[in-house]
Amino acid sequence: MEKRPFSELGLSPEILKAVDKMGFEEASPIQTAVIPFGMAGRDVVGQSATGSGKTAAFAIPAIEKVDVSLKKVQVLVLCPTRELAVQVAEEFGKLALFKKGLMEVPIYGGQSYDRQFRALAAGAQVVIGTPGRVMDHMERGTLRLDALKVIVLDEADRMLDMGFRDDIEHVLKSVPEQRQCLFFSATMPHAIQELIKRYTRDPEWIRIESLAQNAPQVEQIYFEVDRRSKIEVLTRLIDLHDFRFGIIFCSTKIMVDELDEHLHARGYSTDRLHGDITQAQRTRVMDKFRRRGFEFLVATDVAARGLDVDDLEVVFNFDLPNDAEDYTHRIGRTGRAGKKGMAFTFVSGREIYKLQGMINYARLKIRRERVPSLDEVEEAKGNVFYEKLRATLEEKKFKSHDQMVDRLLEQGHTSTDIASALIHLMQGDVEEPAKKTAKVRAEHIAANESPAPSAPAPRPAPVRRDPPPAATPAPVAAAPEGPASAAVRPVEAARPPSGDKFAAQKRTYERKPRTGREPGYSVVSFNIGRQHLVTPADLVGKIAGVTRLPANVVGAIDINEDHTLVDVVSEHAELVVTKLAGIRIKNQSLKLAVVPPPAG
């Protein structure tokens, strides 16, 4: 069954806006099939397992039918477990984000009755609960279903297996006769068919086959990682395996932009693709990627659809995909033509239940691993260098420097000291270009001299560099081995690494802020200031990362309490305003404007 864009399913602007914010760009097969019938008010029987994206399939039409002015329960979803009830409630909350006045509440055993009483009394229109607790509230009189419009049975076969049949029948007999009923079940045993026959009216049957897709040549691994730690874990894995060519998938366009900027600032060669990239830019980026003009492509699912790139070493699911089909589509980018590949997936919080559903639905062969420590990363990098050095010696692909070595030996240096010094120079030499650039820029600023305006040069391929220990972010706690281990703790906020290409600017700006309009520069106003804890490095990094302009297009920065004035080379000022509009810094959505020059 084919996918369709959500915009073609007759949804309200509020739902389309929420769907876009969640990163959904196309409806999954079950969503494409169910939503039109759900919107039309038809009863539906969907044979589909967890992992197929079915929650949005019934949640979207249900939300569309809710009258927010009526403070009564209008949608009831029955789930077999408290974990699934909470997950479904969260999905409803995200999809109803822009439908003001809609309130959803999960009710299940083990949670305080008082909290559930308050939510139901406040007029929740959507209730998601386990059958036992739902029936309990009905008997107490705290849950009334006289205004119910939609009832959903999610994972009906599991609820029957858990002994909830009597509770389910009690609930179904208590709801109004004129209501819409949606059944979802992975299997269709006789007991389920009896319920469907008794409580639905001419239902539309929709069957989505379980996926058996898998990539036998792809090694699949997942990590439980706190959201704030994902970038740190990502860079550790890249360094640990010495990856040089891969794709990193994110769920939203904003996340693609931010991750691309963060990785570039850390010294990785990246570019990006998402729905806002023009076809000309897309063609340029893909041509360059195929030529290995950069290391990692950061992309959304739709932007990467149809890519044909050979020899990918790795695929990262930085954000968990929406369904199992998207997952198999992503990881199928690597391990082609009989070659081996790797796929890493990051999950946080309750996403683990969603991933488990995908594993069962698509029969994925994916294993859990702990996050590598910093020591392991350093050891691996040393091993990579050792293998390269050993191969060079064995193949004798080097020029002889016997005369220089003899001179050093004559001066009393041992052969091991000479070799160690050479290795030290080789490993440290890659930092020199970055240090030199930062130093030149810092000297310009310290001397109150702005670099002359110039046309933007192509962004050079950054050199990967390792920050010294003093500037290394707090290590991510590695989860112990085993299935019951806890998720990774968040990385604490830390200063940018000293190797960061904007670090020198930040230190100099903080020592000596400058103000004033300079020749060849325009002043751009930002709606953030000291009260938002913004720093010059935040602004320089965001401008350079988002616009792809060199850092020297930025001149003076004047940070005020609630706004900031930034000098930008005049020919690039409008581009900066356009590109950064809506981008977030310090959790603030940017609003920018070019400040008109003073009269006269």
Side-chain angles (χ1 to χ4, degrees):
M1 187 172 293
E2 294 183 359
K3 295 184 174 186
R4 290 173 59 190
F6 281 98
S7 58
E8 296 180 5
L9 299 179
L11 306 179
S12 66
E14 293 82 6
I15 290 290
L16 290 175
K17 190 175 179 182
V19 161
D20 182 65
K21 182 176 178 63
M22 292 173 69
F24 294 178
E25 296 180 270
E26 281 185 323
S28 70
I30 186 70
Q31 293 161 4
T32 299
V34 170
I35 289 175
F37 292 110
M39 295 289 288
R42 289 280 303 276
D43 286 359
V44 174
V45 176
Q47 188 168 353
S48 177
T50 299
S52 59
K54 62 180 167 55
T55 303
F58 62 74
I60 287 175
I63 291 169
E64 294 280 35
K65 294 181 183 299
V66 171
D67 178 1
V68 293
S69 65
L70 179 63
K71 299 299 182 182
K72 291 186 175 183
V73 176
Q74 300 168 53
V75 176
L76 174 63
V77 182
L78 296 179
C79 301
T81 65
R82 68 186 67 181
E83 291 84 9
L84 183 58
V86 171
Q87 183 179 324
V88 171
E90 289 177 347
E91 192 90 350
F92 265 90
K94 293 174 184 176
L95 289 166
L97 181 63
F98 299 101
K99 187 161 184 173
K100 302 303 180 185
L102 188 145
M103 179 180 173
E104 76 287 336
V105 57
I107 58 175
Y108 50 87
Q111 187 190 44
S112 164
Y113 271 102
D114 289 340
R115 182 179 300 173
Q116 296 173 7
F117 289 153
R118 288 195 299 270
L120 292 169
Q125 297 101 342
V126 178
V127 171
I128 306 100
T130 51
R133 183 56 67 98
V134 166
M135 195 171 74
D136 190 4
H137 277 283
M138 291 171 63
E139 292 174 348
R140 291 170 181 264
T142 52
L143 175 59
R144 300 178 59 85
L145 302 176
D146 54 294
L148 195 74
K149 297 179 181 179
V150 181
I151 182 167
V152 180
L153 275 70
D154 192 10
E155 300 195 6
D157 52 351
R158 285 186 64 193
M159 286 193 283
L160 263 61
D161 290 342
M162 295 169 70
F164 286 131
R165 176 164 183 163
D166 291 342
D167 294 352
I168 292 171
E169 291 218 52
H170 178 83
V171 173
L172 289 171
K173 289 175 182 176
S174 304
V175 301
E177 187 175 342
Q178 297 301 317
R179 79 298 182 261
Q180 184 179 14
C181 187
L182 296 92
F183 271 82
F184 289 88
S185 184
T187 60
M188 287 293 165
H190 180 72
I192 295 289
Q193 296 182 40
E194 283 293 315
L195 288 176
I196 292 170
K197 184 177 179 180
R198 192 177 306 170
Y199 295 105
T200 63
R201 301 181 304 274
D202 187 27
E204 183 68 31
W205 287 74
I206 295 169
R207 180 185 177 115
I208 303 295
E209 296 288 347
S210 292
L211 296 173
Q213 301 177 29
N214 226 317
Q217 299 297 321
V218 179
E219 185 179 2
Q220 301 170 56
I221 299 166
Y222 78 90
F223 300 91
E224 288 187 60
V225 183
D226 186 276
R227 292 182 184 277
R228 291 168 293 178
S229 305
K230 284 184 176 182
I231 294 176
E232 173 68 19
V233 175
L234 173 66
T235 55
R236 285 192 192 179
L237 291 170
I238 291 173
D239 291 344
L240 179 70
H241 297 276
D242 196 34
F243 292 129
R244 299 288 170 173
F245 197 47
I247 298 180
I248 305 168
F249 285 103
C250 299
S251 62
T252 65
K253 293 175 280 191
I254 291 176
M255 191 64 243
V256 166
D257 288 338
E258 291 186 351
L259 180 58
D260 174 53
E261 175 193 331
H262 279 297
L263 290 175
H264 188 71
R266 287 183 177 222
Y268 297 87
S269 177
T270 65
D271 214 324
R272 57 194 164 177
L273 275 185
H274 55 61
D276 288 347
I277 301 293
T278 66
Q279 185 57 47
Q281 289 174 310
R282 176 189 172 91
T283 301
R284 177 188 59 78
V285 170
M286 286 312 305
D287 286 347
K288 188 175 180 182
F289 189 50
R290 290 189 184 97
R291 298 194 309 268
R292 295 204 176 202
F294 56 93
E295 295 174 318
F296 297 101
L297 178 68
V298 187
T300 58
D301 287 301
V302 167
R305 191 67 43 87
L307 294 185
D308 184 18
V309 182
D310 295 327
D311 300 329
L312 284 180
E313 298 173 320
V314 65
V315 167
F316 287 98
N317 293 308
F318 192 82
D319 295 320
L320 192 65
N322 297 323
D323 54 59
E325 186 168 333
D326 280 340
Y327 175 86
T328 55
H329 181 81
R330 287 180 179 186
I331 69 169
R333 301 288 171 195
T334 184
R336 292 182 172 186
K339 297 181 180 179
K340 291 187 177 181
M342 300 189 77
F344 296 100
T345 300
F346 299 160
V347 293
S348 59
R350 294 191 182 94
E351 286 181 342
I352 187 64
Y353 300 113
K354 184 176 180 181
L355 178 63
Q356 288 170 349
M358 291 183 186
I359 291 171
N360 295 332
Y361 175 66
R363 307 170 198 171
L364 302 175
K365 297 177 181 177
I366 177 172
R367 71 176 187 273
R368 184 188 185 280
E369 283 195 1
R370 65 177 180 82
V371 175
S373 67
L374 286 173
D375 288 342
E376 290 172 322
V377 173
E378 289 303 317
E379 182 181 355
K381 288 162 71 175
N383 290 338
V384 168
F385 183 80
Y386 167 80
E387 289 300 327
K388 289 180 179 178
L389 183 59
R390 183 186 58 78
T392 302
L393 287 169
E394 290 181 353
E395 295 170 8
K396 298 190 181 298
K397 292 183 178 179
F398 56 89
K399 182 180 177 182
S400 177
H401 293 280
D402 292 350
Q403 184 177 0
M404 186 180 297
V405 173
D406 289 341
R407 287 173 60 192
L408 292 169
L409 289 170
E410 289 172 1
Q411 293 177 16
H413 300 290
T414 66
S415 57
T416 52
D417 282 349
I418 295 170
S420 296
L422 288 171
I423 291 173
H424 174 77
L425 288 174
M426 289 175 65
Q427 291 182 325
D429 187 53
V430 295
E431 297 184 16
E432 293 307 313
K435 289 181 178 177
K436 183 177 180 181
T437 301
K439 181 181 179 183
V440 170
R441 174 67 178 152
E443 287 172 351
H444 273 297
I445 298 168
N448 253 355
E449 296 175 0
S450 291
S454 60
R459 187 175 72 177
V463 180
R464 207 177 292 180
R465 49 197 177 267
D466 306 311
T472 303
V476 180
E481 299 274 11
S485 56
V488 177
R489 292 196 297 271
V491 176
E492 297 176 6
R495 294 169 298 174
S498 62
D500 189 323
K501 63 179 179 181
F502 302 121
Q505 294 97 302
K506 177 180 178 181
R507 290 192 296 270
T508 310
Y509 275 131
E510 289 174 343
R511 284 198 305 270
K512 190 174 183 180
R514 301 182 300 145
T515 59
R517 186 185 301 270
E518 301 178 56
Y521 284 77
S522 296
V523 178
V524 177
S525 172
F526 288 68
N527 62 324
I528 53 175
R530 279 194 297 272
Q531 65 181 358
H532 304 108
L533 305 179
V534 68
T535 67
D538 294 328
L539 297 166
V540 175
K542 189 67 72 173
I543 291 171
V546 172
T547 65
R548 292 293 194 273
L549 295 173
N552 63 8
V553 304
V554 180
I557 296 180
D558 183 13
I559 300 180
N560 298 279
E561 185 62 26
D562 60 353
H563 71 284
T564 298
L565 301 178
V566 180
D567 281 1
V568 177
V569 173
S570 295
E571 64 180 291
H572 303 307
E574 289 294 343
L575 175 65
V576 170
V577 170
T578 303
K579 288 286 189 181
L580 268 69
I583 298 294
R584 301 184 76 82
I585 295 183
K586 302 295 184 182
N587 207 30
Q588 296 293 315
S589 181
L590 289 182
K591 296 178 182 177
L592 301 85
V594 177
V595 179

